[in-house]
Each structure stands twice: as C-alpha cells, then as structure tokens.
Amino acid sequence: MTKPPAIDSVCVYCGSSNAADPAFLKVAADFGALLAASGVRLVYGGGQVGLMGACARAAHETGGRVLGVIPRFLMRREVIYEAVETRVVETMHERKLLMFEEADAFVVLPGGVGTLEEVIELMSWRRLSLHTKPIVFLNQDGYWEPFFALIRHTVDHRLTPVEFLDCWRSVDRVEDILPAVEAMTGEAGTTIVPLVT
Ligand code: AMP
C-alpha cells in the first residue's frame, strides 16, 4: 500500500480496555501494522493498554513511527510504552490539543466513553469549521451504528445541519481506512457546514 500524499501522521482514537472483544484488539493491531507499512506515523494517547496499546505495539514492532501523548496522572494506569516517543502533558485538554496538532487525519476504532469524548470534540470543531482534517470511523461489526443514529437523530430534529453528515466517513474493513483518509484529504474543506441551522 502506498502512503497518501498529504498524510504524514494519523491520530487514532480507540478503547483503553484490555477486556475488549479480542476481534477489536486484533483489528487495532492490524491497523497499527498497516500504518507502519504505509510509512504513516501513529499519534495516539500513549500507554500500553487496550486497543491503544495493541495498535502502538504493532506499529512499533513492524518498524513504524509512533508518538504517544499521555497525561502525567495516567502514566501508571495506562502503562507508559517506553519503546516509543512519548510526550507527557499535565491535563486531558493538553493531551487532546497536542494529538490534534500532530495529526493530519483521525481514525476512530471501537472505544468507550473516552474515545467518544475525543471524537465528539473533533467533530464539533469540524462543525464550527475550525479544521477540515479527515475523520474516518472503523465501523467494525456495526459497532458505531448507535452513535451514527444519535447524530442523525439530532439532524432529524434540525439541531445539527444536514451538511454535517458529510464531514466524516465510515468503513467496515481495516484495509479500507487509509484509502478513505486519502479520498477525504482530496476533498478536504469542500463541505461547508452552516454555523446556524
Ligand atoms: P476509553 O475509550 O474510555 O477506553 O478511553 C480511551 C482513551 O481516551 C484513554 O486513553 C483515556 O485516557 C482517554 N480519555 C478519556 N477521557 C478523556 C478526556 N476527557 N480527554 C482526553 N482523553 C480522554
């Protein structure tokens, strides 16, 4: 697979739970290896737990570049990954900002409330036209359907502009993620979301 032209770094949001479905842990590792094979740097929340750790280990162990960003108070709980470059910050807000600044695109794998918090902020910044960076969900086994339904619900009630539905992509297979990122890079900024619904 070749590297998308404008994409040097992809930020991955995903779950920190070690109790996750093994299929989800595997797909996180598969994506880490795909990033490494494509020469794309992984930016992630640091640590070695859950899908986050599986993705980072696979990327690093197959020769990829990895940047972790972890708040000091989580270094023990999320088990800092000594083998890769890690920046230690003080707050969750600093973590999200640095991850945002260091990435050209965002990929969302299955995750819990922390993953939701991160991607909702990213999507709300897109809705406010603060960025046009690609956002691609891996909808493994329909995992994100309830979330997409909730967003559509807000559109149906005219609380979110319908144009917003065009601001991210969803794919079912891990090998389709980077091509979707590449396609979105080409069309970045083409969807204008009105500020007032
Ligand atoms: P989860 O999806 O709940 O397993 O969380 C995934 C990652 O998101 C973990 O590294 C959490 O530390 C992180 N996280 C949770 N809440 C926040 C937040 N408010 N800001 C930044 N990162 C968060």
Side-chain angles (χ1 to χ4, degrees), residues 14-17 45 52 74 78 92 95-96 111-115 117-118:
C14 60
S16 59
S17 170
M52 301 166 61
L74 281 179
E78 296 194 348
M92 293 302 227
R95 179 198 228 181
K96 283 184 295 182
V113 70
T115 303
E117 199 272 354
E118 290 168 318

Side-chain angles (χ1 to χ4, degrees), residues 48-191:
Q48 298 199 57
V49 291
L51 279 72
M52 301 166 61
C55 189
R57 270 191 303 276
H60 175 68
E61 288 169 5
T62 57
R65 294 172 294 146
V66 178
L67 171 66
V69 183
I70 196 163
R72 193 174 304 280
F73 75 96
L74 281 179
M75 281 171 68
R76 184 172 302 186
R77 193 187 324 164
E78 296 194 348
V79 196
I80 192 160
Y81 188 15
E82 306 278 2
V84 301
E85 180 184 357
T86 301
R87 296 211 208 142
V88 179
V89 296
E90 298 306 321
T91 68
M92 293 302 227
H93 287 99
E94 286 175 63
R95 179 198 228 181
K96 283 184 295 182
L97 187 58
L98 192 53
M99 289 165 75
F100 175 79
E101 289 173 344
E102 289 289 333
D104 304 305
F106 299 85
V107 168
V108 191
L109 306 179
V113 70
T115 303
L116 278 170
E117 199 272 354
E118 290 168 318
V119 73
I120 280 285
E121 179 173 82
L122 182 71
M123 292 168 80
S124 70
W125 286 0
R126 177 66 182 86
R127 191 244 179 283
L128 296 172
S129 298
L130 294 176
H131 75 90
T132 55
K133 296 181 182 183
I135 304 171
V136 175
F137 286 80
L138 177 64
N139 191 24
Q140 171 96 359
D141 299 327
Y143 180 79
W144 288 113
E145 285 307 325
F147 175 70
F148 297 148
L150 178 61
I151 300 288
R152 278 194 297 269
H153 173 76
T154 70
V155 171
D156 292 345
H157 285 76
R158 299 182 303 282
L159 293 166
T160 300
V162 68
E163 292 86 347
F164 182 66
L165 296 176
D166 197 39
C167 291
W168 72 88
R169 296 288 177 273
S170 169
V171 299
D172 296 338
R173 302 181 319 160
V174 69
E175 57 267 38
D176 294 333
I177 297 175
L178 285 177
V181 166
E182 188 171 11
M184 273 202 98
T185 306
E187 63 197 46
T190 51
T191 300

